[in-house]
Amino acid sequence: MSLWSWVNQPEELKNFQNPLFEANSLVIWPSVAPQSLQLWEGIFLRWNRPSRYLDEAEEEMKRIIDYNRFLQDKVNSMKKQITQTETEGKVDEVDEVDKVDEMDKVDEMDKVDEVDKVDKVDEVDKVDKVDKVDEVDKVDKVDEVDKVDEVDKVDEMDKVDEVDKVDEVDKVDKVDEVDKVDEVDKVDEVDKVDKVKKVDEVDEVDKVDEMDKVDEVDEVQENP
């Protein structure tokens, strides 16, 4: 037979179990330092002591362990009660906070409604102002158009005046040119007359010279 078949029997297994052991889901990292090593006298030196003391110590240890478990269960139950009480208190506080929040929301909504009303009134006022400004702008534009029309008319009149002046200047220039041509013609005629006079004078001089020459010839013929 296997030794473990005998050791794993419930009535025998409790003699080989550590009564101070508590299950832990975390990883156990034992200390391997020399000062941490201790001899388990209850196992390795259990035959070196009278069994009576060992039995008494084991019974006392079990009693302490059972009482410790009882106290631990009581602590856990008290923790649960405290947690439930705190939860209920928190629920009541949450309800009160929710009520306060709802009241605050209602107040905020009322304020928002008032602000919306004020905003609407402001928007209506702004629209009225904008309409007035538009009307004023239209009037200003009409005035500007009228001014522009007047300026255009004045410009057209100025242009007409300038054209008239230019026409007058052109006429005066033409008259001056005609006068100049007339003067030139007159000068030409005078020059022609002077030339003719000069030619006549030259002809007379020539005639006189010829007559003188004829007289001289006649004198010479008379006085050989």
Side-chain angles (χ1 to χ4, degrees):
M1 292 178 66
S2 173
L3 174 64
W4 295 109
S5 299
W6 177 75
V7 170
N8 287 330
Q9 294 178 13
E11 63 274 8
E12 297 293 337
L13 183 61
K14 62 182 181 180
N15 296 324
F16 299 98
Q17 288 180 341
N18 181 8
L20 300 177
F21 174 76
E22 291 183 0
N24 189 358
S25 60
L26 300 177
V27 178
I28 299 174
W29 297 98
S31 175
V32 295
Q35 60 270 22
S36 298
L37 297 177
Q38 293 182 0
L39 180 64
W40 190 359
E41 295 179 357
I43 294 296
F44 299 105
L45 300 179
R46 63 183 180 274
W47 289 286
N48 295 336
R49 295 178 182 179
S51 59
R52 183 172 60 86
Y53 298 107
L54 291 175
D55 293 338
E56 290 178 359
E58 186 175 357
E59 291 295 331
E60 183 66 19
M61 184 171 60
K62 288 180 180 179
R63 188 185 64 80
I64 291 171
I65 289 170
D66 293 336
Y67 185 68
N68 187 23
R69 288 177 179 171
F70 170 76
L71 293 176
Q72 190 67 37
D73 293 337
K74 193 171 183 180
V75 167
N76 291 332
S77 64
M78 292 179 70
K79 282 182 179 179
K80 288 181 180 179
Q81 291 178 0
I82 292 171
T83 302
Q84 289 178 355
T85 303
E86 289 178 352
T87 303
E88 291 176 356
K90 286 181 180 179
V91 168
D92 294 337
E93 290 178 357
V94 168
D95 291 338
E96 290 180 356
V97 169
D98 290 339
K99 288 180 181 178
V100 171
D101 289 339
E102 288 180 354
M103 292 177 68
D104 291 338
K105 285 180 179 178
V106 170
D107 293 337
E108 287 180 354
M109 289 177 70
D110 293 337
K111 289 180 180 178
V112 168
D113 291 337
E114 291 179 354
V115 169
D116 289 339
K117 289 179 181 178
V118 171
D119 289 338
K120 286 180 180 178
V121 170
D122 290 338
E123 288 180 354
V124 169
D125 293 337
K126 287 180 179 178
V127 168
D128 292 337
K129 289 180 180 178
V130 168
D131 291 338
K132 289 180 180 178
V133 169
D134 289 339
E135 291 179 354
V136 170
D137 289 338
K138 287 179 180 177
V139 170
D140 291 338
K141 286 180 179 178
V142 169
D143 292 337
E144 288 179 354
V145 169
D146 293 336
K147 289 179 180 178
V148 168
D149 290 337
E150 291 179 355
V151 169
D152 289 339
K153 288 179 181 178
V154 170
D155 289 338
E156 289 180 354
M157 291 175 69
D158 290 337
K159 286 179 179 179
V160 169
D161 290 338
E162 288 180 355
V163 168
D164 292 338
K165 287 180 181 177
V166 168
D167 290 338
E168 290 179 356
V169 168
D170 289 338
K171 288 178 181 179
V172 169
D173 289 339
K174 286 180 180 179
V175 168
D176 289 339
E177 288 180 354
V178 168
D179 291 339
K180 286 180 180 179
V181 167
D182 291 339
E183 288 179 356
V184 167
D185 291 338
K186 287 179 181 180
V187 168
D188 289 339
E189 288 179 355
V190 169
D191 288 338
K192 285 178 179 179
V193 169
D194 289 337
K195 285 179 180 180
V196 167
K197 285 180 180 181
K198 285 179 182 181
V199 168
D200 291 339
E201 288 177 357
V202 168
D203 289 339
E204 288 179 358
V205 169
D206 289 338
K207 285 178 180 181
V208 169
D209 287 339
E210 286 180 356
M211 288 175 70
D212 288 339
K213 285 179 180 182
V214 167
D215 290 339
E216 285 178 359
V217 168
D218 289 337
E219 285 179 1
V220 169
Q221 287 177 355
E222 287 177 359
N223 296 314

